[in-house]
Amino acid sequence: SSGINAEWPLRPGNETGSATCSACAAGSFADTNGTVTCKICEAGSYSLENAADCTLCQEGSFSSKPGSSSCSKCETGSSTEGIRGSAECTKCKPGSYANETGSATCSVCAAGSFADANGTVTCTLCDAGSYSLENATDCQLCRPGEYTNKTGSNYCKKCIPGHYTSVIRGATSCTPCEVGTYANEAGSPFCYPCPKGKLATTTGSTTCSYCNNITYTTYTEGASSFSQCHGPQLLLVNNKTLQKYDFVEVDITSYNLTVSTIFQAKSGAWVINPGKSNQVYLKEGATSMLKVEQGKQLEIRIKPVMTNKWCYFEHDGHGKYFSGSQVTDALGRECLGGSHCSNPDDDPSGPYCMVNTTSGPTKSTCGIPRCIWDVECKQGNGETYRGNLERGQSEQGHEYECQGWGQDFPHAHFYFRPTAFTEAKYGLGMHNYCRNPDPQRQPGLWCYANTFYTEYVTCKVEECSLTKHPYFEGGQSKYQSNRAVSDIHLK
């Protein structure tokens, strides 16, 4: 029995000489025969009148005082934690609630809601841009790259590829990537600018594409228009105006400079031929000024250096010195590791790179076009010529075959032998093709004669002209051999 040994106020008949026994009052009990006084029920229990024992309060109810004749229900926001015989109710802990009186236990807040204080009656739904799991005391903001646009969410969705979240955390929507940027995976926290050589022309791009002309490229990150794809570019400042010329857009004309002009090779290398003066060679990024005396004029011709940048020499190690910016093979597959097309091992197929295939990393040709200029024709003194002509004429007009550059018979020679430097600079090698490794003293192509009668002969190769020779042919270039690609000249 549950009771307290304390005297209860006697009723008539609970005295000596009583005619009858009195019933125990509510809140007390007598559990044996011959009871003189009833026992009081402890807190957490109760009894009705004439009880032989006290009853524990049911789950969800309590009695806080001894001698209770009934139990009270727990208020909302509290419970007896699943226990019978409670003297008091306990407030629901954060993360749980009780929205009815007499709750035996507190319920945990469902996912997508929370309770951050004791005694919560109802859980609060998470705002859009946040979520919660079950039994949460707070909502978590969606991580970068994720969002939710509804209240009461139990998770955040990932942005689809081509989209990102414009806020750091707590996004309620995703934003399409701007032009010039991309996101190739779901859940991207931001969009990446297209790398050099690629572009994205629409919003929401998942990848960046290459220029339409495989030998063209972009020179800045984040390119957003095909107009940013180009070959060699030359900037010039003339009378404080900035102009840009692309080698496929300007007709062949001569131009007379009347004021001093600054030239900068924005992309590619350039040759500027100022009339009878020595020609100026501009490497990519270099600048040069051509001065013009007041009242005079200077006739100039300008052309980009195409070889080993936009096309390759077939007779020079099959493009061994090609240094263009292409980073895909002929099928558009990306070169592994972001490497550029090259041909360090003289592969007969020309410049190549390694790409991923179903059988693993595989060598694949890049489809670079072959150079025509400096192969079927020559420019200037022939220093850049890489053709396969192997015969020349003596001063007396006799034609002889060329002696190999690596041979000492019939003419022993110390200079102009094949080395790593002369091979890269002048195209010498273990062959007997006409070259000009001495451009400071020789006005054109020559070779040692394969005869004792004369030491060397000169080689006759016609001058390059776009009316007869395109810059390049073959490969995957949009500008094939049947299209005349023009010189650059100032208008």
Side-chain angles (χ1 to χ4, degrees):
S1 64
S2 176
I4 301 176
N5 292 321
E7 292 187 356
W8 195 260
L10 296 178
R11 294 188 178 182
N14 287 32
E15 301 173 352
T16 56
S18 297
T20 60
C21 293
S22 300
C24 291
S28 64
F29 70 99
D31 56 355
T32 59
N33 294 324
T35 298
V36 177
T37 54
C38 297
K39 298 177 182 178
I40 298 173
C41 293
E42 295 178 344
S45 63
Y46 73 100
S47 71
L48 302 178
E49 189 178 48
N50 197 29
D53 200 355
C54 294
T55 303
L56 293 177
C57 292
Q58 297 295 314
E59 297 174 2
S61 62
F62 73 100
S63 61
S64 58
K65 297 178 180 179
S68 295
S69 59
S70 63
C71 296
S72 301
K73 288 184 177 181
C74 293
E75 295 179 351
T76 55
S78 64
S79 74
T80 58
E81 299 182 318
I83 299 173
R84 298 178 62 191
S86 296
E88 62 180 355
C89 296
T90 303
K91 288 186 176 181
C92 295
K93 296 178 180 179
S96 63
Y97 72 102
N99 59 359
E100 296 179 353
T101 59
S103 295
T105 58
C106 295
S107 301
V108 297
C109 292
S113 64
F114 72 99
D116 58 359
N118 291 322
T120 297
V121 177
T122 56
C123 300
T124 304
L125 293 178
C126 295
D127 292 333
S130 64
Y131 74 102
S132 74
L133 301 179
E134 194 177 71
N135 198 29
T137 60
D138 199 0
C139 295
Q140 303 296 316
L141 294 176
C142 292
R143 293 172 296 185
E146 299 180 352
Y147 77 103
T148 174
N149 56 2
K150 298 179 180 180
T151 59
S153 294
N154 59 356
Y155 70 98
C156 294
K157 299 178 182 178
K158 289 185 176 182
C159 294
I160 62 174
H163 294 69
Y164 74 107
T165 50
S166 57
V167 295
I168 297 177
R169 299 180 72 89
T172 58
S173 63
C174 295
T175 303
C177 293
E178 292 82 5
V179 291
T181 65
Y182 74 103
N184 60 348
E185 294 181 350
S188 293
F190 48 83
C191 297
Y192 302 89
C194 291
K196 292 181 180 179
K198 291 186 175 184
L199 69 159
T201 60
T202 59
T203 59
S205 294
T206 58
T207 59
C208 298
S209 59
Y210 290 95
C211 297
N212 287 335
N213 185 337
I214 199 167
T215 60
Y216 273 29
T217 187
T218 60
Y219 285 83
T220 58
E221 290 185 344
S224 58
S225 170
F226 281 103
S227 65
Q228 294 172 270
C229 294
H230 53 77
Q233 282 190 320
L234 182 71
L235 299 181
L236 62 105
V237 178
N238 185 341
N239 290 335
K240 299 181 180 180
T241 62
L242 189 66
Q243 302 180 45
K244 179 175 68 175
Y245 292 87
D246 188 299
F247 80 99
V248 300
E249 296 175 350
V250 184
D251 293 330
I252 300 176
T253 61
S254 60
Y255 182 79
N256 292 325
L257 286 181
T258 57
V259 295
S260 297
T261 301
I262 297 174
F263 297 87
Q264 180 186 18
K266 180 68 174 177
S267 65
W270 290 78
V271 174
I272 303 173
N273 192 345
K276 297 180 180 180
S277 303
N278 292 330
Q279 67 181 16
V280 178
Y281 177 80
L282 288 181
K283 293 182 178 180
E284 186 170 308
T287 59
S288 180
M289 172 182 281
L290 292 184
K291 294 184 178 180
V292 179
E293 296 181 13
Q294 187 172 2
K296 295 185 177 182
Q297 62 183 17
L298 179 65
E299 183 179 358
I300 64 171
R301 291 176 66 85
I302 303 172
K303 61 182 176 63
V305 177
M306 305 297 299
T307 54
N308 282 332
K309 181 72 174 178
W310 315 97
C311 58
Y312 76 92
F313 284 132
E314 176 64 30
H315 303 298
D316 194 11
H318 308 290
K320 181 177 181 179
Y321 299 101
F322 178 77
S323 58
S325 57
Q326 186 172 323
V327 290
T328 61
D329 71 354
L331 298 178
R333 296 174 295 190
E334 293 192 8
C335 300
L336 291 179
S339 60
H340 291 70
C341 295
S342 62
N343 193 7
D345 53 357
D346 302 350
D347 190 295
S349 63
Y352 67 90
C353 69
M354 303 299 292
V355 298
N356 265 329
T357 65
T358 54
S359 58
T362 304
K363 179 189 288 189
S364 181
T365 181
C366 290
I368 304 296
R370 295 180 299 276
C371 296
I372 296 299
W373 279 37
D374 283 322
V375 175
E376 297 181 10
C377 57
K378 74 174 182 69
Q379 301 181 71
N381 59 15
E383 179 181 349
T384 57
Y385 175 77
R386 297 296 185 270
N388 61 351
L389 180 64
E390 52 187 12
R391 303 184 68 84
Q393 289 185 341
S394 66
E395 292 181 353
Q396 291 76 29
H398 300 295
E399 185 175 293
Y400 297 102
E401 185 182 9
C402 295
Q403 173 186 311
W405 294 100
Q407 297 176 350
D408 287 317
F409 184 85
H411 302 288
H413 58 98
F414 177 76
Y415 298 105
F416 315 126
R417 301 189 69 84
T419 65
F421 172 77
T422 59
E423 183 179 351
K425 178 71 174 175
Y426 303 113
L428 298 188
M430 300 306 292
H431 57 72
N432 66 338
Y433 301 144
C434 296
R435 295 290 186 263
N436 187 7
D438 191 18
Q440 301 300 322
R441 293 185 296 178
Q442 296 291 342
L445 295 167
W446 62 279
C447 66
Y448 290 107
N450 193 25
T451 178
F452 288 108
Y453 296 109
T454 186
E455 182 180 9
Y456 69 91
V457 291
T458 58
C459 307
K460 293 185 178 180
V461 178
E462 65 177 325
E463 285 290 323
C464 292
S465 169
L466 283 170
T467 59
K468 295 182 179 180
H469 311 98
Y471 278 121
F472 45 73
E473 69 175 357
Q476 300 296 317
S477 172
K478 185 171 68 175
Y479 298 96
Q480 302 293 332
S481 58
N482 60 354
R483 173 163 180 167
V485 183
S486 67
D487 255 330
I488 298 299
H489 300 282
L490 306 181
K491 289 184 175 182

